[in-house]
């Protein structure tokens, strides 16, 4: 082989090593069109509803309260998480198998963003639980404790903590050499990255387990203790007005948290059963679009001004 031929072969191998093939959802050509349309409509709803809530809260002085400012964090994070994954999935639904590829650097960035979105969901919901605890258990000190400046600091801490944890998680996978080029998932995540390597991933598994224990342990522990404390206060005071207020303000938060934990648990369980890989892929996609939709619907309908605008739009459309 000539020097030029050897150089071209080496360049082709380098390019191939930096391009990965995604294993998309297993749908028939006829069903892919329907799936594309439904997923596109869901994505548009996520964008419009969550961005609309952020704009409404930003423009309304009556809504510029700690609880709604924290809700803005959730809305921004939901738009971020959906935008990271859904456009790629929409593209791959209409592409032939040979065109479902992604660059390694893009895959690593997507994996980082996917885990950042999941981590921020936990950290922000922890802060929202603390906000509900102060509002119900110490209502007289609420204005002094939960100021807008405090909310900004807590929000920055939530994003920064998640950023650092995920940066180390993905960084440990990026350092590994690669001997495979197929991603067995509709989008990239940390597990997809380190499964490309033939090296030992013991350090990745140890840190991944520690990351999961710290994040989920602190999340479940803080939310559980918060709601136990709220329940004790409501039962000890025997105040129907207080109990009604606690139920109204906590039900939406708890519902979103439970749905997030159940969806995450289902995906983790399905990872243990290789035969159910197709079900896991569908669950992964639903996990990234269901929660943003429910967040906007549950929290949005809880806001009086949102309900009034929806009612006004519905009434004007019937005229």
């Amino acid at each position: 082989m000539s020097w030029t031929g050897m150089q071209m072969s080496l360049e082709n191998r380098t390019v191939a090593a930096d391009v990965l093939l995604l294993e998309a959802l297993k749908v028939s050509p006829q069903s892919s069109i329907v799936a594309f349309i439904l997923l596109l409509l869901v994505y548009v709803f996520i964008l419009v509803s969550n961005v609309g809530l952020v704009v409404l809260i930003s423009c309304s002085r009556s809504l510029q309260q700690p609880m709604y400012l924290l809700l803005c964090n959730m809305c921004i994070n939901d738009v971020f998480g959906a935008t990271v994954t859904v456009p790629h999935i929409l593209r791959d639904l209409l592409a032939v198998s040979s065109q479902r590829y992604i660059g390694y650097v893009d895959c690593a960035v997507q994996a980082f963003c996917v885990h950042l979105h999941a981590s921020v969901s936990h950290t922000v919901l922890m802060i929202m639980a603390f906000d509900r605890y102060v509002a119900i258990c110490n209502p007289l000190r609420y204005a002094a404790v939960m100021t807008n400046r405090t909310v900004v600091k807590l929000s920055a801490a939530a994003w920064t903590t998640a950023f650092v944890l995920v940066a180390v998680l993905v960084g440990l996978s990026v350092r590994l050499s690669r001997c495979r080029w197929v991603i067995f998932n509709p989008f990239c995540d940390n597990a997809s990255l380190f499964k490309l390597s033939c090296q030992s991933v013991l350090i990745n598994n140890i840190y991944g387990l520690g990351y999961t224990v710290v994040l989920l342990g602190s999340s479940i522990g803080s939310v559980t203790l918060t709601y136990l404390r709220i329940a004790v206060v409501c039962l000890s005071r025997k105040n129907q007005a207080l109990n009604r207020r606690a139920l109204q303000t906590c039900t939406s938060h708890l519902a979103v948290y439970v749905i997030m934990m159940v969806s995450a648990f289902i995906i983790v369980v399905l990872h243990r059963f290789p035969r159910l890989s197709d079900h896991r892929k569908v669950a992964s996609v639903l996990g990234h679009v269901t929660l943003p939709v429910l967040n906007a619907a549950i929290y949005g309908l809880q806001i009086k001004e949102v309900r009034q605008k929806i009612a006004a739009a519905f009434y004007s459309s019937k005229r």
Side-chain angles (χ1 to χ4, degrees):
M1 181 182 292
S2 65
W3 169 252
T4 303
M6 292 177 63
Q7 188 176 20
M8 290 178 63
S9 177
L10 181 61
E11 289 176 353
N12 289 336
R13 290 182 182 180
T14 303
V15 171
D18 289 332
V19 177
L20 307 174
L21 182 64
L22 288 167
E23 191 175 78
L25 295 172
K26 192 174 182 180
V27 293
S28 63
Q30 296 79 13
S31 301
S32 63
I33 302 297
V34 178
F36 177 87
I37 295 173
L38 290 177
L39 189 58
L40 178 62
L41 291 175
V42 170
Y43 180 57
V44 171
F45 176 81
I46 291 172
L47 293 181
V48 173
S49 58
N50 284 280
V51 173
L53 282 175
V54 172
V55 172
L56 177 63
I57 293 171
S58 302
C59 296
S60 178
R61 288 188 177 182
S62 62
L63 295 179
Q64 291 178 9
Q65 304 172 22
M67 182 176 69
Y68 297 124
L69 294 178
L70 290 172
L71 175 58
C72 285
N73 272 275
M74 288 295 294
C75 293
I76 294 170
N77 186 46
D78 286 340
V79 171
F80 168 69
T83 302
V84 165
T85 56
V86 175
H88 287 271
I89 298 170
L90 288 172
R91 180 201 65 182
D92 292 342
L93 279 172
L94 299 180
V96 297
S97 59
S98 60
Q99 295 177 346
R100 296 178 183 136
Y101 56 84
I102 185 172
Y104 181 79
V105 174
D106 294 335
C107 184
V109 171
Q110 187 181 52
F112 173 83
C113 293
V114 165
H115 288 278
L116 179 63
H117 163 68
S119 300
V120 170
S121 296
H122 282 278
T123 53
V124 171
L125 283 171
M126 289 165 60
I127 298 173
M128 294 178 78
F130 174 72
D131 173 76
R132 294 300 83 208
Y133 166 78
V134 177
I136 295 169
C137 299
N138 295 287
L140 297 180
R141 296 188 57 201
Y142 181 77
V145 175
M146 294 299 295
T147 62
N148 288 348
R149 178 175 295 182
T150 301
V151 172
V152 171
K153 290 181 179 179
L154 290 174
S155 300
W159 282 84
T160 302
T161 301
F163 185 93
V164 173
L165 289 174
V166 175
V168 177
L169 180 74
V170 177
L172 289 174
S173 297
V174 171
R175 70 183 175 87
L176 300 170
S177 61
R178 304 186 297 279
C179 63
R180 303 181 184 92
W181 59 285
V182 179
I183 299 293
F184 298 101
N185 212 35
F187 53 86
C188 296
D189 56 10
N190 185 60
S192 302
L193 286 178
F194 69 70
K195 285 179 180 178
L196 296 174
S197 177
C198 295
Q199 290 181 253
S200 171
V201 292
L202 178 62
I203 297 177
N204 299 71
N205 288 328
I206 292 174
Y207 180 82
L209 179 61
Y211 160 83
T212 304
V213 170
V214 169
L215 184 64
L216 294 186
S218 57
S219 174
I220 295 173
S222 62
V223 171
T224 301
L225 291 174
T226 297
Y227 279 100
L228 285 176
R229 179 57 181 166
I230 291 174
V232 169
V233 169
C234 291
L235 292 174
S236 62
R237 292 181 181 176
K238 297 181 180 180
N239 187 324
Q240 291 186 354
L242 177 66
N243 293 345
R244 192 180 304 111
R245 180 188 174 195
L247 183 64
Q248 290 175 347
T249 57
C250 294
T251 299
S252 55
H253 175 269
L254 193 58
V256 169
Y257 186 80
V258 170
I259 292 170
M260 180 183 69
M261 294 301 298
V262 170
S263 62
F265 179 75
I266 290 174
I267 294 172
V268 170
V269 170
L270 290 176
H271 264 289
R272 305 300 178 185
F273 299 93
R275 293 182 180 179
L276 300 177
S277 61
D278 292 332
H279 297 79
R280 174 182 53 79
K281 294 173 191 174
V282 174
S284 298
V285 174
L286 291 177
H288 280 81
V289 298
T290 302
L291 199 61
V293 170
L294 292 177
N295 277 342
I298 293 174
Y299 284 114
L301 294 176
Q302 189 184 41
I303 301 175
K304 184 179 179 181
E305 291 190 20
V306 173
R307 295 199 305 269
Q308 290 176 342
K309 289 182 180 296
I310 293 175
F314 181 75
Y315 177 76
S316 60
S317 64
K318 294 186 67 175
R319 293 181 60 181

